Amino acid sequence: MERAAVVPTCRSPSGPQYTSTSTSILAFDQHFTTTAKGILLMAEIDTTGALDNTALYLVTAIVNALSVGQAIRGRHNYNCWAASAFFAFLNTLCYAGSSYLSYNAWKTTEEQ
């Protein structure tokens, strides 16, 4: 007895067939970031992002520094809070420096 060979058939999915793709009007312009206007816009976004981070870390550092007084000196919580407050202020200084340098770079490229 011979069996008939089973040949798999490709079934197309039911529903509408999309043969072409369309692009949106709001598509990303890949070459925009290589233009002078695109570079300045990205630098401006970077500067405002660094300023936001500076403000958030400053608030966090102040709250953290005020929390240190709630712990008992010499205990684990006191040491952790003191260290985290120190590093929060250090991080705030780093973000403030980054904001300053980004702003200077943005201003010098804008003036040229």
Side-chain angles (χ1 to χ4, degrees):
M1 260 185 154
E2 288 187 33
R3 291 189 170 175
V6 177
V7 179
T9 58
C10 293
R11 298 181 72 193
S12 62
S14 60
Q17 296 293 323
Y18 298 107
T19 56
S20 66
T21 58
S22 64
T23 58
S24 172
I25 295 173
L26 301 174
F28 175 69
D29 183 11
Q30 296 176 355
H31 301 291
F32 176 71
T33 56
T34 59
T35 64
K37 189 175 183 179
I39 292 170
L40 287 174
L41 181 65
M42 288 175 52
E44 187 176 348
I45 290 171
D46 185 44
T47 303
T48 57
L51 282 172
D52 293 344
N53 289 339
T54 302
L56 289 174
Y57 271 104
L58 181 62
V59 169
T60 303
I62 291 170
V63 169
N64 208 352
L66 293 174
S67 301
V68 173
Q70 303 296 321
I72 300 170
R73 185 179 291 273
R75 292 279 177 105
H76 176 72
N77 284 344
Y78 178 83
N79 295 336
C80 289
W81 281 349
S84 66
F86 171 75
F87 285 112
F89 278 112
L90 185 66
N91 206 358
T92 301
L93 288 175
C94 290
Y95 273 114
S98 175
S99 299
Y100 175 74
L101 293 175
S102 294
Y103 177 74
N104 279 343
W106 175 70
K107 281 303 260 187
T108 55
T109 55
E110 187 180 75
E111 291 173 357
Q112 292 178 357

